[in-house]
Each structure stands twice: as C-alpha cells, then as structure tokens.
Amino acid sequence: MPSFNTNDQLQPDTQSVYAPASSMEKMSRQSVIQIGVDALNGVGSDLICKVCIRNGGSCCSGCRHLENGIGCKNRNTSCTAWLCGFLKYLLYATGLLTEWDDFWRQVPGQAYREDYTPEFFFIEKPLHMQSIRNLSEALAADLQELATKHIAIGFIITLREKIDKNIDRLNHCKNDPKKRNRIKRNIKVLSSPFHRFQKELREYHHLNM
Ligand code: SF4
Ligand code: SF4
C-alpha cells in the first residue's frame, strides 16, 4: 500500500507556495505526478504490475478510488512516489533508488492513498531516471515463472514483502557496515531466483561502469 511519507520541511495542509532558494524550481502538483508516471513507465513498472496483479498482489486492492474498468480515479503524489518491494528492488539493483527517494523527499503532503500536496511548491533536485524496461521485462518473466512453479498461493507476494522489508532495513542502518552486509546478503539470496533479471543486470552494470 502507499506508505505514509512525511516531509519535515514542507508540511501538509497548506496551499501556500514556499519561498525559493536560488537553485529551486517552482513545480506544480500535476507536473510532479506526471514526472513520476513517466519515470515509472521508463523503468517498466507496468510490466511487473501486470504479473503482480494477475497473482493477486495489487496494491490498489480495496481502495475506494479504484474503479472497475477505469483504474485509479485519484492519481496523487503519495501513490506515485510509493514503491512496493518489486519496484524498490528494481531501483535498488540498478542503483536508481536513491535518486527516486531524494526526488520524492522534496514533495510535501504525501499521505496514504491521497495527498495534501500544494498545487505549487519548490524543488531543488530534478529526477533523472533511465529507461530500463529490458530489466523489468526480465524481472516480470522471472516472477511469472516463480508464480507458476510454486503452487503455494501468494508465493511471489510473500517474496515481495520480504525484499521490501530488507531494503527498508538497509536504509535504517546507514552507519553499521556489518549489519548492512548481512542485509545485502539477504537481498541477494531472496533475489537469486531472478535468473533472467540477474543476466540483464550484469549487462546493465557493464554498460554503466
Ligand atoms: S504491489 Fe507493486 S507490482 Fe504489485 S501492482 Fe502494486 S506497484 Fe505494481
Ligand atoms: S489512490 Fe489510486 S493508485 Fe492509490 S491505491 Fe487507490 S487506486 Fe491505487
């Protein structure tokens, strides 16, 4: 589910425009959502979502803003910024997660399945993502294969939650190298069945060295 993400400097419930520092850029709520949607499209989130939803893992399940045949009727900054374990892993493995987090940390008023983001606000850092649809295609194929192989209902969804938890834990122990190494090993083990993805990832890192 979309997570609650407070912004310490820019509090919700205000429609005011914040005073800009010299390098800051005025941004509208709508354009920030569009930037996020375009970036997600570039990384191929739709390919992974298709497999996840087919296997009962939709994060929109039960949301009052979801309409049959139409989809989300309340596109907001919170749900755009939020990443599930699969998408978090995709960005973690490709080194794009910090870029994503740093961008969204600047967007005020994120909540749960709705936002209190002002119509206009200022951001300092633009979002620079890459097109990595070949990687998400590989991950989606791996996930579908795992879901088919494992008869246990929700196998890939449980995997998604475990990966999610580990990546979050990693962010919470930035100054503890031993703990970080342990968590990184966990993530490696959890993602070891993603064979197609790991192959594409090696290529990606080779090209981006
Ligand atoms: S949980 Fe993740 S993969 Fe599944 S539908 Fe939501 S965003 Fe897509
Ligand atoms: S608000 Fe939209 S994107 Fe967010 S959970 Fe509901 S249907 Fe999904």
Side-chain angles (χ1 to χ4, degrees), residues 5-56:
N5 186 354
T6 53
N7 184 305
D8 292 342
Q9 290 147 338
L10 306 169
Q11 288 300 313
D13 83 4
T14 171
Q15 295 293 311
S16 65
V17 174
Y18 299 90
S22 53
S23 61
M24 287 195 153
E25 189 188 339
K26 189 176 176 182
M27 185 68 79
S28 76
R29 173 180 174 275
Q30 280 309 326
S31 53
V32 101
I33 292 173
Q34 196 55 50
I35 287 170
V37 169
D38 290 346
L40 288 170
N41 189 41
V43 301
S45 64
D46 54 304
L47 304 167
I48 297 167
C49 289
K50 255 182 222 155
V51 176
C52 174
I53 292 167
R54 203 183 301 140
N55 287 281

Side-chain angles (χ1 to χ4, degrees), residues 73-93:
K73 289 186 301 168
N74 183 32
R75 219 354 124 181
N76 56 72
T77 57
S78 321
C79 295
T80 311
W82 182 79
L83 300 172
C84 70
F86 293 148
L87 301 184
K88 216 175 265 180
Y89 174 69
L90 177 69
L91 299 193
Y92 161 81

Side-chain angles (χ1 to χ4, degrees), residues 38-198:
D38 290 346
L40 288 170
N41 189 41
V43 301
S45 64
D46 54 304
L47 304 167
I48 297 167
C49 289
K50 255 182 222 155
V51 176
C52 174
I53 292 167
R54 203 183 301 140
N55 287 281
S58 172
C59 52
C60 296
S61 174
C63 177
R64 66 195 166 97
H65 300 300
L66 185 65
E67 193 156 305
N68 235 342
I70 294 177
C72 177
K73 289 186 301 168
N74 183 32
R75 219 354 124 181
N76 56 72
T77 57
S78 321
C79 295
T80 311
W82 182 79
L83 300 172
C84 70
F86 293 148
L87 301 184
K88 216 175 265 180
Y89 174 69
L90 177 69
L91 299 193
Y92 161 81
T94 50
L96 296 169
L97 186 57
T98 307
E99 177 72 18
W100 181 265
D101 287 344
D102 287 350
F103 177 76
W104 288 102
R105 205 170 288 125
Q106 307 170 103
V107 179
Q110 294 177 53
Y112 176 71
R113 290 180 167 177
E114 62 184 336
D115 70 49
Y116 304 95
T117 303
E119 284 311 314
F120 293 96
F121 53 96
F122 285 88
I123 65 157
E124 194 167 7
K125 195 187 164 308
L127 179 64
H128 293 296
M129 300 296 280
Q130 292 187 38
S131 178
I132 49 166
R133 288 186 69 85
N134 56 324
L135 282 144
S136 45
E137 196 176 344
L139 183 55
D142 285 330
L143 289 170
Q144 187 50 60
E145 188 179 82
L146 279 175
T148 312
K149 258 197 212 158
H150 292 267
I151 315 156
I153 296 170
F155 177 82
I156 62 165
I157 309 306
T158 308
L159 188 59
R160 180 186 76 192
E161 296 313 308
K162 284 184 184 169
I163 292 174
D164 187 46
K165 218 170 269 172
N166 273 281
I167 298 178
D168 282 350
R169 282 174 59 210
L170 202 55
N171 282 333
H172 293 140
C173 59
K174 289 203 165 108
N175 300 319
D176 188 339
K178 264 192 191 163
K179 203 169 175 189
R180 284 181 68 79
N181 284 341
R182 214 169 39 241
I183 298 169
K184 280 182 185 172
R185 273 199 302 276
N186 285 348
I187 298 171
K188 209 167 186 175
V189 170
L190 289 167
S191 59
S192 61
F194 303 155
H195 300 297
R196 295 173 186 84
F197 179 77
Q198 301 302 345

